[in-house]
């Protein structure tokens, strides 16, 4: 069991005496190795980063000397809980926590067993294969998927998504705020039928950030989205109730912050857009048709007049009567 910790972490400091007490039970046990790794030390930073240690303390379990695979410990951080967990794991591996004395000899002990390991022993991490950890196949960082809604007042504000957990501290230098926005809308969600009512000038701005990918170019930076929102009411033809929604535009920037987050700052415009869909009356249609017909006759008359006078001038020029 390895405890990845940071001296500045409050939870790591609280765990230290419990961890040392737990380790004292296994000083003479050759099957259980308990150690710590300080991720703030220069010689350990690459190791912690390559293994995506982003929260402190992080406790990992390596079974049977394996360094390419591990399990997380997420139970209570008390000595009794640690002992119960280790006892359960050893029983599954057909081992024992405390070796039994049989005629003055310890059961299961031979010259090939691992030597006893104590928590304060220098270079403890090398006992579980530090030099082999660069060969791990883990190349992607952990992430999470968030869905839901937030109730806010009709006033400027913001909300942000940040890595937090009870009992853990996070290292900002290892947090990557790259995120993909599947959908972000304001107001009540619209049905597909309602969305089809809007024309192409309105519908793209209802979910402006839909399926947008924002990559953080550095660790420990906050990506902030500045969103300008305007209320839009649409009165469709032959509908008893209007459709109310919100359009928005967005710009973004990134800057260093501890701890980093994905931040969304929004501002509601005091104006409102009202769109009314209506059908023209018959009289308007007849007037338009008459205007078109009148325009056609006028253009034809002008063309006829120009052609008539041009032909007359040409004939007079031929007979020499043009003066």
């Amino acid at each position: 069991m390895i405890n990845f910790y940071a001296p500045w972490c409050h939870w790591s400091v609280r765990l230290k005496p419990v961890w040392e007490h737990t380790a004292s039970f296994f000083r003479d046990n050759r099957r259980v190795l308990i150690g710590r790794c300080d991720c703030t030390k220069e010689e350990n930073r690459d190791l912690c980063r390559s293994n995506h240690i982003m929260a402190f303390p992080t406790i990992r379990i390596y079974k049977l000397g394996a360094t390419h695979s591990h399990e997380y410990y997420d139970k209570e951080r008390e000595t009794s809980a640690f002992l119960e967990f280790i006892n359960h794991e050893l029983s599954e591996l057909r081992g024992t926590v405390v070796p039994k004395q049989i005629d003055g000899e310890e059961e299961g002990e031979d010259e090939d067993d691992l030597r006893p390991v104590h928590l304060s022993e220098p270079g403890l991490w090398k006992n579980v294969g530090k030099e082999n950890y660069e060969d791990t196949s883990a190349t992607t960082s952990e992430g999470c998927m968030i869905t839901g809604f937030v109730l806010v007042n009709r006033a400027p504000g913001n909300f942000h998504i940040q890595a937090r957990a009870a009992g853990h501290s996070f290292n900002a230098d290892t947090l990557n705020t790259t995120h993909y926005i599947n959908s972000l809308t304001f107001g009540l969600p619209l049905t597909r039928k309602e969305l089809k009512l809007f024309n192409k000038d309105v519908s793209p701005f209802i979910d402006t950030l839909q399926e947008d990918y924002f990559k953080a170019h550095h660790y420990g930076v906050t990506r902030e989205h500045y969103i300008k929102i305007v209320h839009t009411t649409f009165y469709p033809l032959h509908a008893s109730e209007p459709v109310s929604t919100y359009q928005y535009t967005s710009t973004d920037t990134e800057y260093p912050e501890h701890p980093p987050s994905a931040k969304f700052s929004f501002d509601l415009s005091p104006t409102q857009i009202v769109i009314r869909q209506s059908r023209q009356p018959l009289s308007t249609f007849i007037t338009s048709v008459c205007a078109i017909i009148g325009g056609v006759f006028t253009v034809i008359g002008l063309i006829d007049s120009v052609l008539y006078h041009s032909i007359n001038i040409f004939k007079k020029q031929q007979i020499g009567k043009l003066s």
Side-chain angles (χ1 to χ4, degrees):
M1 294 180 65
I2 302 298
N3 171 22
F4 295 89
Y5 73 99
W8 50 262
C9 171
H10 167 73
W11 304 103
S12 295
V13 174
R14 290 185 58 179
L15 178 61
K16 182 179 178 180
V18 177
W19 194 255
E20 292 179 346
H21 187 211
T22 303
S24 66
F25 286 88
F26 303 100
R27 291 180 182 179
D28 300 324
N29 191 301
R30 300 168 185 261
R31 289 171 173 246
V32 180
L33 308 178
I34 297 181
R36 295 189 300 171
C37 178
D38 185 354
C39 290
T40 62
K41 290 185 177 180
E42 190 64 32
E43 61 269 22
N44 295 333
R45 286 188 177 181
D46 291 339
L47 174 66
C48 295
R49 182 170 294 179
S50 64
N51 288 279
H52 310 291
I53 304 299
M54 295 179 288
F56 305 116
T58 295
I59 300 175
R60 287 184 174 181
I61 299 95
Y62 301 86
K63 296 182 179 180
L64 302 176
T67 58
H68 59 278
S69 62
H70 63 268
E71 297 178 8
Y72 285 100
Y73 178 85
D74 56 0
K75 297 178 174 56
E76 295 294 330
R77 297 175 190 165
E78 298 177 354
T79 301
S80 58
F82 284 131
L83 293 177
E84 182 180 355
F85 174 79
I86 294 172
N87 182 51
H88 177 267
E89 292 297 319
L90 288 177
S91 64
E92 289 189 349
L93 297 175
R94 297 182 180 178
T96 56
V97 176
V98 181
K100 295 182 180 180
Q101 295 287 339
I102 301 179
D103 298 330
E105 295 183 358
E106 292 184 351
E107 183 180 85
E109 180 181 0
D110 55 47
E111 295 180 356
D112 294 331
D113 283 346
L114 294 175
R115 59 188 177 86
V117 178
H118 183 253
L119 184 65
S120 61
E121 181 180 350
L124 173 63
W125 174 245
K126 293 184 179 179
N127 290 325
V128 292
K130 175 181 178 181
E131 65 281 358
N132 298 326
Y133 231 84
E134 296 300 325
D135 298 331
T136 178
S137 59
T139 57
T140 57
S141 299
E142 295 176 287
C144 58
M145 181 180 293
I146 300 176
T147 181
F149 63 91
V150 181
L151 298 177
V152 298
N153 295 325
R154 292 174 59 89
N158 64 77
F159 63 92
H160 26 139
I161 302 170
Q162 191 176 81
R164 288 188 179 183
H168 285 84
S169 299
F170 289 90
N171 186 0
D173 295 334
T174 61
L175 293 181
N176 187 341
T177 56
T178 296
H179 53 279
Y180 174 82
I181 301 177
N182 185 61
S183 178
L184 176 64
T185 59
F186 294 85
L188 296 176
L190 301 178
T191 62
R192 291 185 178 181
K193 183 178 180 180
E194 291 174 333
L195 285 172
K196 290 181 179 179
L197 296 175
F198 293 95
N199 58 35
K200 295 181 179 180
D201 296 329
V202 177
S203 55
F205 296 99
I206 295 177
D207 196 356
T208 306
L209 296 178
Q210 183 179 20
E211 298 182 354
D212 270 1
Y213 178 76
F214 299 93
K215 181 178 180 180
H217 298 90
H218 305 281
Y219 288 99
V221 296
T222 288
R223 170 80 67 168
E224 183 168 5
H225 302 269
Y226 299 95
I227 300 174
K228 188 69 175 181
I229 309 170
V230 59
H231 186 204
T232 303
T233 303
F234 178 60
Y235 293 86
L237 188 66
H238 303 308
S240 57
E241 296 292 335
V243 179
S244 180
T245 187
Y246 292 86
Q247 300 181 78
Y248 68 90
T249 57
S250 176
T251 58
D252 61 271
T253 185
E254 62 178 18
Y255 50 86
E257 187 180 33
H258 181 80
S261 63
K263 190 174 183 180
F264 299 82
S265 300
F266 55 88
D267 183 18
L268 277 80
S269 173
T271 61
Q272 180 182 359
I273 298 177
V274 178
I275 304 173
R276 295 182 183 273
Q277 190 179 49
S278 60
R279 180 174 294 172
Q280 292 183 346
L282 181 61
S283 58
T284 303
F285 173 74
I286 295 175
T287 302
S288 299
V289 172
C290 291
I292 293 172
I293 295 174
V296 171
F297 273 102
T298 301
V299 172
I300 292 175
L302 290 173
I303 295 174
D304 178 69
S305 177
V306 171
L307 292 175
Y308 176 77
H309 289 290
S310 299
I311 293 173
N312 284 340
I313 292 173
F314 180 72
K315 288 182 178 180
K316 288 180 181 181
Q317 187 178 8
Q318 284 185 335
I319 62 179
K321 293 185 178 182
L322 185 64
S323 58

